Amino acid sequence: MTAINPLLQDWNTPYGLPPFDLVKAEHFVPAFAAALPAHLAEIDAIAAESAAPTFANTLAAFDASGRLNSRISLLFENLTASETSPALQAVEVELAPRLAAHRNAIYLHAGLFARIAALYARRAELDLDPEQLRLLERVHLDFVRAGANLPPASRARYSALTERLAALSTAFTQNVLADESGFSLALEDEAALAGLPEFLRASAQEAAQQRGLPAGSHVITLSPSLAEPFLTFSDRRDLREAVWRGRVARGAHDGVHDNRPVAAEIMALRQEQAQLHGYPTYADYQLVDRMAGKPEAVSALLGKVWEPAKKKAEDDRAALTEMARSLGQPTPIAAWDWRYLAEKVRQARYDLDDAELKPYFALENMIGAMFDCAQRLFGLSFVEQHGVALHHADARLWEVRNRDNALIGLFIGDNYARASKRSGAWMHIFRSQSGHNGGTLPVVINNNNFAKADVTLLSFDDVRTLFHEFGHGLHGLLSQVKYERLAGTQVLQDYVELPSQIFENWAEEEVVLQRHARHYQSGAAMPPALLEKLKRARQFDQAWSTIMYAGPALIDMALHSLPNGSKVDIAAFEAQQCALLGVPQDIGQRHYLSHFQHLFSGPDYAAGYYVYMWAEVLDADAYDAFIEAGDPFEQKIAERLRRYIYSSGNKQDPALAFRAFRSRDPKVEPMLAKRGLIA
């Protein structure tokens, strides 16, 4: 099998990339059948080492183990998210519990944990450098949180729980994708296209072509890059309602793709996990390894924005209601009216039309903008490479070089929506940076879901998303650590969004927009008057966006704070929480539980959707350092940003890293002011 399976051969490809053009879905099961036992044999050998445990023969050896399994796993994760197929989905279902079982075999390995625990107990006398000590502490905690300290019977049960959870998370993700790819709203005549600007018509036409419909057809899908501008511009209230309800109902249809029982079972198993570890709730278990520490700290932060945002929304609602009456639209307004009416109010109040802005935000120009910011901040250059096979024809590859022209990484951009790709935007890696074997070259990918067109035009929210994911990408590319467990984005979950969210700030800088926001047809710079209108309108409708985010974050924390053993009816619980919180019905939520992939496609963001706002506190305060300096590219601050935030990985406690950058602890006021919730 090794001779014919490209996953098990040496990857003699440019940069050691996966042989994308040779890999098929059927290669993965036999590849893992070879890679998993090989990895476990390495673990057994470390555990059976006759010499007493040392950092080198235990921790460093563990960090360097499983190279074959790692490269196959990362490729598999990327393909199932970015370019899946029915065959690959079937393999994913088959492999999910087996991969979870393998992780259990590693982290419940009594012999290996005994050596790690012995080193941990003596850590103060081992004369380790700070990075070695951090690795020991993190790996020990990884094993403890995975159940290594549990009694034998509990370890067996914990193992069964994680395998079942892996299968359920896979099912949840595939159910959402099935509902998203199965929805399309045909716009069959000019009346159905009423109000849609040219860029949206072009994107809807491209979406129809991708679905094999006749030339000239237009469809709206549930992809945010189509659905959200449709909700903003369509004059057809009935069609806006259909799209809004389609997005809300993902995963909540009776039948084979119903995620409500899936999520309920996930919750039951998570509560049992927490109970086995001795925590009263799953939220308590999760937050032990987060900056927040306790659910109460999360509630305190979210409470600072929730009621002020609802109060501010009352003023906005009055303005939108007045606009609806002036247009002869029904009142009271509904959730599928808010974006539409807000755009009308914004046009009237600020003389700013999103359709007027979009021609200045061509995707290609904004890619150039983010690369330019990386060059001015960190001295990076991005050199596109052609003729290298990637996972999809739309994906693009860049070499990343530093000021000395040394190659430091590879960046892949996959920016367009398609039916074979999950929704949203995310960063991942095909290979991590580390010091292994003289140093490994990171291979980072950014995924977005922009609507493809001859010239793809972005909204300003899309531009922020592009910059956000690129911030994650820089976190992976600039990593400078010795051990892979500490590299790049492998930091605490409520810290991982700091590098991404702070990078969004440069998308709003006037000097960046003046250079790169150029009309896609004429090449003319954005007129100063339009730029000024964009600046004045930045805080418009912030109450709506705050409620859309904070509501799901509060419900996530309430759900995972239920006492162990609580039975959960997902739909009923969500309705109850919406009523308790007073979630405005004419605003709604960004995510509903039946499709809330942050929570149920894996454990990372469970009891953790709050992390974006936690990191927003850090990012707003951190970016103030540049504002105080009067220069968004001030080099001494940029060097500190690179050293302590982007390059340090998990080498030190994040609170200490932030303090090293800012010379003090973070303040919450810059975030509240940025959202317009305080003066």
Side-chain angles (χ1 to χ4, degrees), residues 320 337-347 540-541:
L320 267 58
D337 299 323
W338 193 286
R339 289 178 188 265
Y340 176 76
L341 294 170
E343 178 63 17
K344 300 294 187 187
V345 171
R346 184 170 71 153
Q347 291 176 20
F540 176 68
D541 217 21

Side-chain angles (χ1 to χ4, degrees), residues 43-283:
I43 298 301
D44 289 338
I46 297 170
E49 170 67 51
S50 57
T54 65
F55 181 88
N57 71 17
T58 302
L59 264 296
F62 174 67
D63 192 67
S65 69
R67 297 297 91 201
L68 176 62
N69 178 40
S70 177
R71 76 173 192 177
I72 297 171
S73 294
L74 289 170
L75 173 59
F76 185 61
E77 291 167 12
N78 276 294
L79 290 181
T80 54
S82 301
E83 181 57 11
T84 194
S85 65
L88 203 55
Q89 288 182 315
V91 172
E92 190 179 16
V93 170
E94 179 181 350
L95 284 175
R98 290 167 62 177
L99 295 176
H102 175 70
R103 188 178 189 281
N104 287 332
I106 304 295
Y107 285 93
L108 298 176
H109 196 295
L112 176 59
F113 181 63
R115 295 178 69 87
I116 293 169
L119 289 170
Y120 183 77
R122 298 174 45 240
R123 62 192 182 281
E125 58 193 67
L126 294 179
D127 195 29
L128 301 177
D129 67 36
E131 187 172 348
Q132 291 173 326
L133 178 59
R134 183 68 173 172
L135 180 67
L136 173 56
E137 292 172 344
R138 296 306 304 169
V139 170
H140 181 264
L141 183 60
D142 290 343
F143 274 76
V144 170
R145 286 176 58 77
N149 255 348
L150 298 176
S154 296
R155 284 204 303 271
R157 176 57 185 162
Y158 197 85
S159 180
L161 288 176
T162 56
E163 290 174 38
R164 178 60 180 160
L165 281 166
L168 290 168
S169 293
T170 298
F172 189 95
T173 303
Q174 291 191 359
N175 286 344
V176 175
L177 181 60
D179 275 1
E180 288 176 344
S181 60
F183 178 98
S184 65
L185 175 69
L187 307 179
E188 296 178 342
D189 53 30
E190 188 59 33
L193 294 163
L196 304 190
E198 187 54 42
F199 76 84
L200 185 51
R201 292 179 180 226
S203 296
Q205 197 165 22
E206 175 69 26
Q209 290 175 4
Q210 290 180 2
R211 282 157 179 75
L213 297 176
S217 300
H218 298 79
V219 298
I220 298 298
T221 71
L222 295 183
S223 170
S225 60
L226 277 172
E228 291 177 5
F230 185 80
L231 290 168
T232 301
F233 292 110
S234 175
D235 289 336
R236 285 286 298 273
R237 190 171 192 259
D238 57 330
L239 300 184
R240 295 201 308 268
E241 180 179 359
V243 170
W244 186 87
R245 291 192 182 280
R247 285 186 60 77
V248 168
R250 288 171 294 162
H253 298 107
D254 293 337
V256 67
H257 298 305
D258 190 350
N259 267 337
R260 290 166 293 188
V262 177
E265 186 177 353
I266 287 173
M267 287 307 307
L269 299 185
R270 284 177 175 170
Q271 290 173 12
E272 190 175 350
Q273 278 185 308
Q275 188 166 5
L276 287 171
H277 279 289
Y279 292 96
T281 73
Y282 189 77

Side-chain angles (χ1 to χ4, degrees), residues 180 224 421-426 447-449:
E180 288 176 344
K421 185 182 189 181
R422 73 173 174 88
S423 63
W426 68 98
N447 286 274
N448 291 294
N449 268 284

Side-chain angles (χ1 to χ4, degrees), residues 393-416:
D394 286 340
R396 298 164 66 183
L397 175 70
W398 287 267
E399 288 185 351
V400 186
R401 296 184 174 273
N402 65 14
R403 286 189 174 95
D404 300 326
N405 203 38
L407 183 66
I408 67 162
L410 298 171
F411 177 71
I412 299 171
D414 184 355
N415 287 312
Y416 297 122

Side-chain angles (χ1 to χ4, degrees), residues 23 52 108 147 170 178 181 188 208 223 257 285 289 322 349 353 387 432 436 488-489 494 503 510 521 587 617 633:
V23 173
L108 298 176
T170 298
S181 60
E188 296 178 342
S223 170
H257 298 305
Y285 164 66
D289 195 29
E322 183 181 342
R349 188 176 294 176
D353 182 348
S432 173
H436 296 318
T489 58
D494 42 12
F503 202 76
E510 187 170 340
Q521 290 174 320
I587 293 179
V617 171
F633 298 101

